[in-house]
Amino acid sequence: MGAIIGAVVGGGFALFGIVVAWLLQLVVTWLAERKQVRAVLQAIIDEISVLESLYMHRIGAAVEMNGGQDILEIYFPILSNYFVVYDTNYGGIGRVQSAEVRKAVVETYAHLKSLADTFGYNNQLLMERQALDQQLVSSPDSEALKFLVRFKEDELRAYGAGIWQLHVAAMSAASNLKTLIGDRLRVCDVP
């Protein structure tokens, strides 16, 4: 009988040890996950801040001065993928528990990527107008060329207004995202 009681007590302690080890592993895993998500969110804030600063320094101020009122006469080449943190951490973004934060991240990057694409098309329109201007120099009396130049300028004006709208939406989304993530990180809450 004593052997049976000893076996049951020993087995109970062994089972208790297994449960405690399992619970500790859950806590360690949860803490590691929390740390990883926090790192991704901090990297997103850093990337957005750097992109916003570069953009405003290189062309954003000109967009604001134009206010969508005229042709944006600035060729702004986009030759690289500037969204490295976002593009390489989509899994980490998906692990963010807050739907509000996940949505804000995706929305902000969608606005920023749309803005980048818009500048690419504006560049194309500027080059097309420049080519028409050069043709007009050699054929200054061509009514067809004059019409095409005016048409291209109208298209560029309309596109300037679109750039302004995207600029406002992207800057607003970036500001909101930085505030939202910053607030969550300050209170040590993994969103």
Side-chain angles (χ1 to χ4, degrees), residues 80-98:
S80 182
N81 176 14
Y82 295 99
F83 309 106
V84 176
V85 172
Y86 178 77
D87 289 344
T88 59
N89 286 287
Y90 55 86
I93 295 164
R95 287 195 301 272
V96 173
Q97 291 182 5
S98 168

Side-chain angles (χ1 to χ4, degrees), residues 127-162:
M127 289 187 295
E128 289 171 2
R129 196 215 34 214
Q130 182 181 17
L132 288 170
D133 285 342
Q134 289 172 353
Q135 290 176 20
L136 193 57
V137 167
S138 60
S139 302
D141 295 329
S142 171
E143 291 302 317
L145 279 175
K146 288 177 184 178
F147 172 79
L148 289 174
V149 168
R150 283 191 306 273
F151 179 80
K152 193 57 66 179
E153 287 176 347
D154 289 343
E155 192 175 9
L156 277 160
R157 245 180 236 94
Y159 216 71

Side-chain angles (χ1 to χ4, degrees), residues 62-83:
V63 171
E64 288 186 354
M65 285 178 56
N66 181 321
Q69 300 301 312
D70 203 2
I71 296 171
L72 189 63
E73 294 278 356
I74 300 171
Y75 182 81
F76 184 60
I78 309 271
L79 303 174
S80 182
N81 176 14
Y82 295 99
F83 309 106

Side-chain angles (χ1 to χ4, degrees), residues 52-61:
E52 186 178 31
S53 175
L54 287 172
Y55 168 76
M56 289 306 293
H57 178 71
R58 292 178 63 200
I59 195 167

Side-chain angles (χ1 to χ4, degrees), residues 16-31:
F16 178 74
I18 290 171
V19 169
V20 168
W22 176 73
L23 289 173
L24 286 174
Q25 184 58 44
L26 283 177
V27 169
V28 167
T29 301
W30 178 78
L31 289 173

